[in-house]
Structure formats: structure tokens, C-alpha cells
Amino acid sequence: MGESSSPAGEVVWGEVVQGSVGRSLPLSTTVRQPVGVVAVNGLSGVVTSTSPGRVDSGGVVYTVGRTPVRVVQAGEPFWRELSRGVRGEDVVALQELLIAGGHLDGEADGDFGQATEDAVEAWQEEQGLPESGVVGLGELVAVPELPATVTVGEAIRVGAQVSGGEDAVLAPTGERDFVLVVTAEQARLIPAEATVEMSFQDQQWTGVIAGSSVDESGSTVFELTAPGGGPVCGEDCGALPGDEQVTVRSEVVVVPRVEGLSVPAAAVRTRADGSAFVVTEDGQVEVVVAGSGQGIAVVEGAGLEEGLRVLVAGDPAQVPRDGGDETGGG
């Protein structure tokens, strides 16, 4: 801070410089994405293969006999056979899959017409399946968001006989819970009003503490939300991978960062009325403390500039002043 010391009893000067104060803790935030059953099995026969893991739209998760079961991004479950003349949001999801695969031109209009039937037949031919032009119930599974990491139910195992109704596919439900898990010692350093700055790839998010609890290991679990409530990731949750648990790099802002003209904290003096000032070689300068920490104070005041000397220690009576009844260092 540019202090210079003098023999005991004499004044000590500091210097006004550009600086900053603030304090943050580098900790990791965990994003928990609850997993639930998103589809039951709609086929009957023997399970011949399973392919759990990270999948995109159209990916096969298991096969019954020769019939593959594929995941499709959709907000509602597939509940009926899809064939010529059917209309609805489930047809839209099928058409989007066919368009992505290059089998259907145009837009997904939710109307299963001749073009859609032809596209389904071409898609079935590509898979080596009978070209029926019909998508049977159970051949498609709706997952809220893709790509995602999915698993299959306990009953869906190679060699198992299934008849329909078994829990088939488990996937993230689309919910996101942001939590900060810290030790009891770390928890004592984090005030209730602390914010958490997070970064994931090119996304930047800010979270606030909405609640806390203690888990079975004695760790403190802080629940985080966006400043206005809701998930921290807001409308950008799709940037997160579909894993059940994701770690996000974060900084817990314990003391907000403030930048500006800085002086040694000991140079800031207070009067009985609570007003603050610093003593310069030309007298007192009124200041407002914008932030302080680690022996530094960021101050604002008319006449302050870089390089100006301020009194840190010693008898203010030895310095010319413009008056004022100070009570000591602050």
C-alpha cells in the first residue's frame, strides 16, 4: 500500500492507490438431476439386448426380439400406435425424429399423412425391419430432454421374458437441484446472504442460498436458487449434460468485490457522528468507505487521487487540518 515507517512517536504515511477488496471461496457446486421412470415397457417377448448410457434422440436403449426401443425427446409419453390418420403431439415428436434422420422433408405438423407413412417405411427399411409404415406402441420412449444418460429397469435384462408394464427406462426428470456441500468449518465462513458465482463451459450463473440442512455425514448442504427463485440455470439448463449429478465450478462470494481508490484501513478515521475522513498533508478529506478487508479500505471522496499521501499513524496535530473532532482510527 506504499506505507513508509518512521521512528516511534512520529507519523506514518500511506498512499492512495487503485485497489480492490472482497473475499470469495473456491468451492464446487453440485447439480443433482433426479432420475425417474419415464416409460414402461410396451412390448412382449424376450429381451435380446440393452444399451443404457448416454443417448441422443433415436438412440436404442433395449431390444425385445428384433424390435428396438428408441428414445425420443418429447414432453408427453407415447401412449398409442402411430399410423396413417393419427394426429397429435406424439406424431410431432415422431416427425421430428424422421426429419432429423433425413427421411421426412418439411415441418412437423402433427398430421400422420402419406408423407409421414412413406418416411416411416424408409426408416424401417434402414433398420432392417418390416416396412409396415406403422410405429407400434412401445417402440418409442419419451424423454423430457436429450441427450441424456438413461438406465433400464431391473426387469429389462438380456434373456428376460417381458409381457408389458415393466419399468423400462429411467432418465433425468428435467428438474435441477443446485446444492453446495461443505464442511462444518467452511459453513461457518459462508453468510446467509452470500452469492455463488458459477461457470459451466460458456455459461455464467449466479445463485443465492435458499436454505440449508445437515446430511448424515455432518456436512452442511446449502440449497441454491436463482436470485429471483427457480433453478439457477434459468432458461439455459439445456447446457448441462443429462447426467444424474454434475459438478460446476463456483466461487462463493463472502464479501462482494469492490474496486476503486484504496488506502490502508488504519488511515480511515471516524468522528462521533459516524462520518469518516482521512488526514492528508493538506488537512482532512471526507470519505465514504465503499468496502474494506484485509487491512485495506476502498474509499470515495472529493480530492482523492492516486499518489496522495494519507496519515496512517502518529499525531494528527502535527498535520495541518481544516478542523473536526475525531475520535480515533476506524
Side-chain angles (χ1 to χ4, degrees):
M1 183 55 69
E3 292 184 17
S4 60
S5 60
S6 299
E10 297 190 13
V11 298
V12 177
W13 294 93
E15 191 174 278
V16 177
V17 298
Q18 283 289 338
S20 64
V21 297
R23 186 182 181 193
S24 62
L25 302 173
L27 297 169
S28 295
T29 298
T30 300
V31 186
R32 296 172 178 170
Q33 303 184 104
V35 171
V37 177
V38 296
V40 297
N41 174 52
L43 303 176
S44 61
V46 176
V47 178
T48 52
S49 71
T50 61
S51 305
R54 190 165 178 79
V55 292
D56 207 336
S57 189
V60 176
V61 287
Y62 67 99
T63 305
V64 177
R66 294 185 56 208
T67 305
V69 177
R70 298 176 181 273
V71 294
V72 178
Q73 183 166 309
E76 299 179 359
F78 291 96
W79 54 277
R80 57 181 174 175
E81 177 183 272
L82 299 179
S83 59
R84 183 79 175 269
V86 172
R87 295 180 177 84
E89 289 301 314
D90 46 1
V91 177
V92 171
L94 169 63
Q95 290 173 328
E96 289 175 344
L97 178 65
L98 296 170
I99 291 169
H103 302 292
L104 181 64
D105 296 326
E107 297 182 356
D109 59 7
D111 185 356
F112 198 126
Q114 183 64 57
T116 301
E117 184 177 65
D118 293 342
V120 169
E121 290 177 357
W123 179 54
Q124 291 170 329
E125 180 182 14
E126 182 181 78
Q127 300 176 71
L129 298 174
E131 300 165 35
S132 64
V134 174
V135 180
L137 178 61
E139 294 182 26
L140 298 180
V141 167
V143 175
E145 292 182 12
L146 291 171
T149 300
V150 303
T151 57
V152 294
E154 293 182 2
I156 309 300
R157 63 184 188 280
V158 175
Q161 178 80 38
V162 292
S163 57
E166 300 88 354
D167 289 348
V169 179
L170 294 84
T173 60
E175 298 177 11
R176 266 91 175 187
D177 299 324
F178 284 71
V179 295
L180 189 66
V181 183
V182 299
T183 64
E185 291 76 14
Q186 290 171 325
R188 284 193 284 270
L189 300 175
I190 301 174
E193 65 274 12
T195 59
V196 184
E197 302 293 339
M198 287 162 260
S199 61
F200 182 80
Q201 296 178 349
D202 59 347
Q203 300 291 331
Q204 303 290 327
W205 299 312
T206 298
V208 296
I209 297 174
S212 65
S213 59
V214 178
D215 65 15
E216 62 277 3
S217 66
S219 297
T220 300
V221 181
F222 289 106
E223 301 163 15
L224 307 178
T225 66
V232 171
C233 47
E235 297 180 355
D236 300 315
C237 293
L240 290 165
D243 300 328
E244 187 172 353
Q245 191 162 292
V246 180
T247 300
V248 176
R249 186 173 57 188
S250 60
E251 293 277 341
V252 181
V253 181
V254 177
V255 178
R257 184 178 181 84
V258 178
E259 298 182 355
L261 294 175
S262 305
V263 299
V268 180
R269 301 165 185 269
T270 57
R271 301 189 181 95
D273 63 3
S275 61
F277 66 96
V278 295
V279 177
T280 72
E281 292 173 307
D282 295 325
Q284 297 178 6
V285 175
E286 303 291 325
V287 297
V288 174
V289 178
S292 63
Q294 298 178 317
I296 300 171
V298 175
V299 294
E300 300 171 352
L304 290 181
E305 59 183 15
E306 284 190 77
L308 182 69
R309 296 215 304 167
V310 293
L311 186 67
V312 176
D315 184 2
Q318 301 180 34
V319 182
R321 301 185 297 170
D322 61 3
D325 180 21
E326 70 271 10
T327 61

